[in-house]
Amino acid sequence: MNIIIFSTDDFLHPAGGAERAIADITKRLQGISFDLICAKLRRGVPLTETIGNVTIHRIGVGIPIVDKLLLPILGCIKVWRLRRKKKIHVFWVMMVSFAGIAAYLHNLFCPNKRIPIVQTIQEGDSKDHIRYARGGLIHRGWSFALSSANRVTVISHYLEGLVRAYGFRGRIDFVPNGVDVEMFQRRNREEEERIKKKYNLSSFETVLVTTSRLEKKNAVGDIIKSLEHLQKNTALLILGDGSLRKELEVLAEKRDFSKNVFFLGYKKHEEIPPYLHVSDIFVRPSLSEGMGNSFLEAMAAGIPVIGTPVGGIVDFLKDGETGFLSRPGDPKELARAIEKVSSLSDEEREAITTRALREVEGTYEWSTVAEKMEEIFKEIGTM
């Protein structure tokens, strides 16, 4: 079976959940050949590169805005060239983006040679953002994409409802992003000790951690503000980067938390587990969330998790059972949730983290996710 994937970016560079999903699913489906059509986005990378069973075809000149605009037309041309060499069974479109337009254009211009489309919805933006942002362009893109798809997969039941609200009447499959449970459970004591010494974490009563892009929807500023309401001497490790980093650094300094809050920047995926293991609580008070891989990774690592009841988080984070929920946009209530988790007995803490791990292992292992996608590809590939 030959499948073409359409994605804005590849999975070899700092990647979000969508790109990691492509990497983790494809490497587990060695019986399928994949071609990934994406924007080049950066200089110095080859236009074509093969990684395992995935051949990456990068479109553009290495300038993000230019490459994204070129992607629909040049991506469509790339599809035609690939079709001359081999039979293509399925188009897999990752998120609603410029990349997916190439798949839709191919089927529009070649009605007698249509390829069935699996559209995966991973978006974590709020309903209002999708409907009104960029002058309604995102809203129109969703309507067009869903009207052109043969099958839709969603990473949360929240997104399933959103897809239905856009009028899609076909089959929707719940296929969440996964977690490499073994990687997040594996301990690296030497690295953990290095981190503790570097940031003098033994001097704090409680160590919080968040792994997140530093953007508005992830509300990292609310964690910093919550420190004002905590009685204990608390540290906050922030793993991730984004457009709000400088603003958040200023916020921490103004509130006199420059010695408590550590901005650690972007970390490769495999570098994250030791930071979770040296921490007491994972916190991310999201304002919107398609699913939230970072929560699941912390649950797999065995530390209590505090989130908000928005988007796909409620699929796996049950208040008082697998984690704890706090009202979004309320730093004072978030502080109360942190204090509550900090005061748990060892037995209560272990009960919560054990149930959380079982939740992850039961539904969110990458091997389980890959099997579901393989079934979908085989079903739609015979249409």
Side-chain angles (χ1 to χ4, degrees):
M1 175 172 279
N2 300 308
I3 295 175
I4 297 180
I5 306 170
F6 299 84
S7 174
T8 300
D9 202 355
D10 61 48
F11 52 80
L12 299 179
H13 301 90
E19 293 79 19
R20 291 206 302 270
I22 293 172
D24 279 289
I25 290 171
T26 55
K27 74 180 181 182
R28 288 170 171 81
L29 300 181
Q30 290 299 312
I32 299 177
S33 173
F34 294 93
D35 288 276
L36 170 60
I37 295 176
C38 62
K40 186 177 180 182
L41 299 181
R42 51 190 70 82
R43 299 184 186 275
V45 296
L47 290 176
T48 303
E49 185 175 5
T50 299
I51 308 295
N53 59 334
V54 182
T55 299
I56 301 171
H57 307 273
R58 299 184 178 94
I59 304 296
V61 295
I63 302 173
I65 185 62
V66 173
D67 296 352
K68 290 178 182 179
L69 293 174
L70 291 174
L71 191 51
I73 300 301
L74 296 186
C76 186
I77 293 172
K78 175 61 70 174
V79 172
W80 289 333
R81 290 175 177 172
L82 290 171
R83 288 199 61 172
R84 291 196 191 107
K85 299 178 182 179
K86 55 189 173 183
K87 178 178 175 61
I88 304 300
H89 298 87
V90 177
F91 286 161
W92 180 19
V93 178
M94 180 58 74
M95 303 180 67
V96 177
S97 68
F98 283 102
I101 298 175
Y104 309 134
L105 288 179
H106 172 276
N107 284 353
L108 181 65
F109 294 140
C110 303
N112 297 325
K113 297 182 178 180
R114 290 174 59 89
I115 305 295
I117 296 175
V118 176
Q119 172 71 60
T120 291
I121 300 295
Q122 291 239 359
E123 282 76 353
D125 298 312
S126 67
K127 293 179 182 178
D128 285 346
H129 179 87
I130 293 170
R131 181 165 292 275
Y132 301 114
R134 299 181 185 176
L137 184 61
I138 298 175
H139 167 71
R140 289 190 288 272
W142 269 63
S143 298
F144 178 67
L146 293 173
S147 67
S148 305
N150 299 90
R151 190 88 159 257
V152 171
T153 72
V154 295
I155 59 173
S156 69
H157 292 101
Y158 158 75
L159 288 174
E160 180 179 0
L162 192 55
V163 169
R164 287 297 185 206
Y166 269 84
F168 184 77
R169 295 293 174 259
R171 179 169 168 180
I172 302 175
D173 293 274
F174 170 61
V175 186
N177 283 344
V179 178
D180 186 337
V181 175
E182 182 183 354
M183 183 177 79
F184 279 88
Q185 286 187 319
R186 192 182 308 130
R187 303 297 296 264
N188 184 338
R189 305 290 182 180
E190 183 177 339
E191 178 64 7
E192 291 171 27
E193 286 303 316
R194 185 195 68 80
I195 294 169
K196 289 179 182 178
K197 289 180 180 179
K198 182 174 182 178
Y199 301 105
N200 193 26
L201 298 183
S202 60
S203 65
F204 297 96
E205 295 178 72
T206 303
V207 179
L208 309 178
V209 63
T210 191
T211 59
S212 152
R213 287 185 296 112
L214 304 186
E215 306 296 343
K216 181 179 179 180
K217 82 173 197 68
N218 293 325
V220 174
D222 285 348
I223 312 176
I224 296 173
K225 293 174 185 177
S226 75
L227 299 179
E228 294 182 326
H229 307 288
L230 294 174
Q231 298 178 1
K232 295 182 178 180
N233 183 26
T234 304
L236 170 60
L237 306 180
I238 301 175
L239 280 67
D241 219 330
S243 64
L244 296 183
R245 175 163 179 168
K246 181 57 67 175
E247 178 181 321
L248 292 170
E249 289 175 337
V250 171
L251 174 65
E253 186 174 351
K254 282 185 176 180
R255 307 228 172 185
D256 199 26
F257 293 128
S258 56
K259 294 182 179 179
N260 299 64
V261 179
F262 302 94
F263 291 87
L264 308 183
Y266 168 77
K267 298 293 179 185
K268 293 180 181 178
H269 204 223
E270 61 271 17
E271 295 175 331
I272 294 175
Y275 291 92
L276 296 175
H277 290 142
V278 301
S279 303
D280 299 301
I281 307 170
F282 176 90
V283 185
R284 190 156 116 183
S286 304
L287 303 178
S288 66
E289 200 73 65
M291 178 183 144
N293 269 61
S294 293
F295 297 93
L296 295 168
E297 291 164 356
M299 290 162 70
I303 65 172
V305 170
I306 298 174
T308 50
V310 300
I313 295 174
V314 294
D315 282 351
F316 52 82
L317 201 61
K318 309 294 191 298
D319 193 37
E321 295 182 23
T322 59
F324 298 88
L325 295 172
S326 176
R327 186 167 55 244
D330 190 337
K332 191 170 184 178
E333 183 180 318
L334 179 61
R336 286 195 289 267
I338 293 170
E339 292 281 13
K340 179 179 179 180
V341 178
S342 298
S343 64
L344 291 175
S345 67
D346 291 343
E347 292 77 12
E348 291 171 326
R349 183 184 178 95
E350 184 176 358
I352 290 285
T353 55
T354 297
R355 285 194 293 267
L357 178 59
R358 288 174 181 165
E359 176 76 14
V360 175
E361 291 177 328
T363 306
Y364 299 95
E365 281 268 21
W366 274 121
S367 57
T368 302
V369 173
E371 287 175 5
K372 290 183 179 179
M373 286 305 301
E374 184 175 26
E375 290 175 6
I376 292 168
F377 291 146
K378 288 181 177 179
E379 288 173 9
I380 197 171
T382 58
M383 291 178 61

